[in-house]
Amino acid sequence: MFRKTPSKDRETTIFQELKNELFPHMAGVNGHLKGLMDRHAKIIFCVMLLLIVASFILTFFVLNPNPENQAEHIKKELKAIPGELSGEFSALQDLTLRAAKMAELKSEIERIIDKDSISKSDSAYLEKAIEKLQYFNNHSHEN
């Protein structure tokens, strides 16, 4: 399989070459699986039905999740995270919040700039938004 296969046709893709190379092997496996399914069709069907019934029983009767238990379980798992990882998570959360705020500010700035005339309140908001955006940009370069 790792030998170089020269292709006479320049438009042949790697997927076509792989198909040509592996098709005989896949056809053999397909034939064996088909024979296995033909010989044991009833058993396979019964196992599938058994799995469906077991899944139904587990879903609706045995595994009955409570939202309060899930919230407590998630809190316990988060407390179990080592200190350095929790710092990484908080830094990642801070970055995503900062990126979302920057995107919101940029969209608001673009919306105000696209207007034909700007009111005093828009002008004041634009100044504050540009200052915040500069703060976020400078703060991100420091980190």
Side-chain angles (χ1 to χ4, degrees):
M1 186 169 142
F2 293 101
R3 67 178 186 262
K4 186 174 181 180
T5 314
S7 176
K8 295 176 185 168
D9 186 13
R10 291 287 179 193
E11 295 181 11
T12 303
T13 64
I14 190 168
F15 297 112
Q16 291 170 339
E17 289 294 330
L18 282 173
K19 180 182 173 188
N20 291 340
E21 191 74 26
L22 298 175
F23 184 73
H25 303 293
M26 295 303 287
V29 170
N30 192 15
H32 287 299
L33 285 176
K34 186 174 185 214
L36 180 73
M37 288 183 172
D38 286 340
R39 279 181 276 148
H40 304 289
K42 289 182 182 179
I43 295 173
I44 293 172
F45 181 74
C46 290
V47 168
M48 285 176 22
L49 285 179
L50 183 67
L51 287 174
I52 290 171
V53 170
S55 172
F56 177 78
I57 291 171
L58 285 174
T59 302
F60 291 106
F61 299 113
V62 176
L63 303 174
N64 196 4
N66 294 333
E68 296 133 10
N69 290 346
Q70 286 180 346
E72 291 173 8
H73 183 66
I74 290 172
K75 287 179 185 177
K76 287 179 185 176
E77 286 181 355
L78 287 177
K79 286 180 183 177
I81 295 174
E84 61 243 8
L85 282 180
S86 64
E88 295 294 326
F89 283 134
S90 63
L92 183 62
Q93 184 181 17
D94 184 45
L95 284 174
T96 54
L97 291 174
R98 188 179 300 160
K101 186 67 175 172
M102 285 177 65
E104 180 184 330
L105 286 173
K106 284 182 182 180
S107 65
E108 282 295 316
I109 289 171
E110 289 174 358
R111 184 189 62 81
I112 292 173
I113 290 175
D114 287 341
K115 286 185 176 180
D116 291 332
S117 62
I118 299 175
S119 67
K120 289 184 179 182
S121 63
D122 285 342
S123 177
Y125 179 80
L126 190 60
E127 283 182 26
K128 290 179 183 178
I130 289 174
E131 287 175 7
K132 287 180 183 178
L133 198 57
Q134 287 174 346
Y135 170 76
F136 283 134
N137 283 333
N138 292 336
H139 193 66
S140 66
H141 291 302
E142 291 173 1
N143 293 337

